[in-house]
Amino acid sequence: GAVVSQHPSRVICKSGTSVKIECRSLDFQATTMFWYRQFPKKSLMLMATSNEGSKATYEQGVEKDKFLINHASLTLSTLTVTSAHPEDSSFYICSAPRTGVGGYTFGSGTRLTVV
Amino acid sequence: DQQVKQNSPSLSVQEGRISILNCDYTNSMFDYFLWYKKYPAEGPTFLISISSIKDKNEDGRFTVFLNKSAKHLSLHIVPSQPGDSAVYFCAASAASGGGADGLTFGKGTHLIIQP
């Protein structure tokens, strides 16, 4: 149980376009979703925390207008990379806390390549 | 189907003793394994990794053991310290650690070090 489905798994887009990444909780309600970006040497950086029905909380240094996060329902959180640039190319992954059980469930990740 | 499994949601260990966190995987294509540590309200930080060509990697108080035939790895922390209390994630990659591909995470084990 407690599965988070993340789509797409891979996407290639042109510079200047926008890309939307979705994370859906399939069998539980995710009131909170964490969005991470993977950097070289495998470290993950927390970008923002989305909460259903309210504005996302962004970490310092993360551009709110560039990385739009929406958490419109208890089962869906989205990250939109707007006006993508090659330096936005990275691996993005979402994670939701497993309420009542403990621990976290991760999505399968999205490999974004901006050309 | 969970490809990386951490079957213990939590583990309590006395300060000074050895903490052993376990992780099992099912995908035989995985060839690089990592452990991350996560404090509340922070993103996971990289702790230690091991390539499938090794069966042990040591870094200070942290040692990771890999048993390829059993598809099992473990993280040993000795001696355990109060600051080690955190959630530990096991992750695996099929890209030889080159950073070219994403990671598959386990659900985490909450380690609690008792004084």
Side-chain angles (χ1 to χ4, degrees), chain A residues 62-113:
Chain A
V62 178
E63 298 176 60
K64 300 179 183 181
D65 296 331
K66 179 165 188 61
F67 299 99
L68 299 179
I69 289 176
N70 184 275
H71 197 144
S73 76
L74 288 170
T75 59
L76 176 64
S77 177
T78 62
L79 165 66
T80 302
V81 182
T82 63
S83 187
H85 290 284
E87 56 263 33
D88 298 326
S89 298
S90 190
F91 181 74
Y92 295 86
I93 194 166
C94 60
S95 171
R98 298 188 297 161
T99 53
V101 179
Y104 299 83
T105 295
F106 284 85
S108 53
T110 297
R111 169 63 60 184
L112 170 64
T113 304

Side-chain angles (χ1 to χ4, degrees), chain B:
Chain B
D1 181 36
Q2 247 184 288
Q3 296 188 64
V4 177
K5 299 179 185 179
Q6 292 177 258
N7 292 318
S8 299
S10 67
L11 175 68
S12 185
V13 175
Q14 203 165 8
E15 183 179 355
R17 299 288 193 110
I18 183 171
S19 294
I20 301 176
L21 296 103
N22 293 303
C23 179
D24 298 290
Y25 62 96
T26 57
N27 188 341
S28 56
M29 297 300 291
F30 288 144
D31 59 3
Y32 193 68
F33 304 89
L34 310 93
W35 284 94
Y36 285 82
K37 179 179 180 179
K38 183 187 183 304
Y39 291 117
E42 296 180 11
T45 54
F46 171 74
L47 194 58
I48 192 169
S49 64
I50 188 167
S51 165
S52 61
I53 61 173
K54 291 185 172 183
D55 53 20
K56 178 183 175 181
N57 189 25
E58 198 170 346
D59 183 3
R61 295 185 299 114
F62 303 92
T63 303
V64 56
F65 295 92
L66 175 62
N67 183 333
K68 289 186 288 294
S69 60
K71 292 191 176 69
H72 176 83
L73 64 153
S74 60
L75 173 68
H76 292 211
I77 306 172
V78 55
S80 301
Q81 299 175 354
D84 296 330
S85 295
V87 178
Y88 290 79
F89 295 102
C90 171
S93 169
S96 297
D101 212 329
L103 300 169
T104 302
F105 281 86
K107 294 190 185 297
T109 296
H110 186 192
L111 176 64
I112 302 161
I113 304 301
Q114 308 274 12

